[in-house]
Amino acid sequence: MTKLTFGALMILTVTAAAPAAMAQDVAAGKSSFNKCLACHAIGEGAKNKVGPELNGLNGRKSGSAPDYSYTDANKNSGITWDEATFKEYIKDPKAKIPGTKMAFAGIKNENEINNLWSYVSQFDKDGKIKQ
């Protein structure tokens, strides 16, 4: 009986901790996004800067943010942004899209990349956090 009770308590603890862990990932991703802020904006009221605004990135076709002047490489890449594509791209943007004007060396740390995706992907196309 003691093993059953312990097992049940472990399941409850893990289930209760999952949202907190996700929040930590998003918070860490927000901190990591500071590397992107010089060129990109995200959230309500985000505007294009040196780079395009990143609202609604998940599912968006590369080269399609309104009123942003993309390179032909981005417009013609055939990429639709999703988690796997973003994670590959952010490691080395110029390798993923040769000819991009994105002058960023990339992020190599997998944990940081995962946290950054958690942060960026939470925003819908209007810059509101998805529920």
Side-chain angles (χ1 to χ4, degrees):
M1 185 69 159
T2 303
K3 287 182 181 180
L4 181 61
T5 303
F6 180 74
L9 285 174
M10 287 302 294
I11 290 171
L12 287 173
T13 301
V14 170
T15 304
M22 179 64 173
Q24 289 172 343
D25 291 347
V26 170
K30 181 178 182 180
S31 178
S32 181
F33 191 77
N34 287 332
K35 294 177 180 179
C36 312
L37 277 175
C39 299
H40 296 280
I42 198 164
E44 292 187 61
K47 303 276 186 233
N48 294 326
K49 295 167 120 179
V50 172
E53 54 84 9
L54 298 177
N55 288 330
L57 186 65
N58 193 15
R60 186 166 93 185
K61 293 192 181 305
S62 181
S64 67
D67 302 320
Y68 183 76
S69 178
Y70 284 97
T71 61
D72 286 340
N74 263 297
K75 289 188 280 190
N76 300 323
S77 69
I79 289 174
T80 299
W81 295 108
D82 61 16
E83 183 174 3
T85 304
F86 173 84
K87 288 177 176 182
E88 182 182 350
Y89 176 80
I90 204 66
K91 288 178 185 175
D92 188 354
K94 291 189 179 283
K96 180 69 177 167
I97 304 178
T100 185
K101 62 184 174 184
M102 184 161 158
F104 182 68
I107 298 172
K108 308 304 185 222
N109 181 288
E110 293 289 333
N111 192 47
E112 184 177 1
I113 292 169
N114 291 335
N115 292 340
L116 183 58
W117 176 253
S118 292
Y119 177 71
V120 169
S121 65
Q122 73 177 337
F123 293 94
D124 68 14
K125 66 180 181 62
D126 297 319
K128 292 184 169 68
I129 294 177
K130 300 174 195 170
Q131 298 300 324

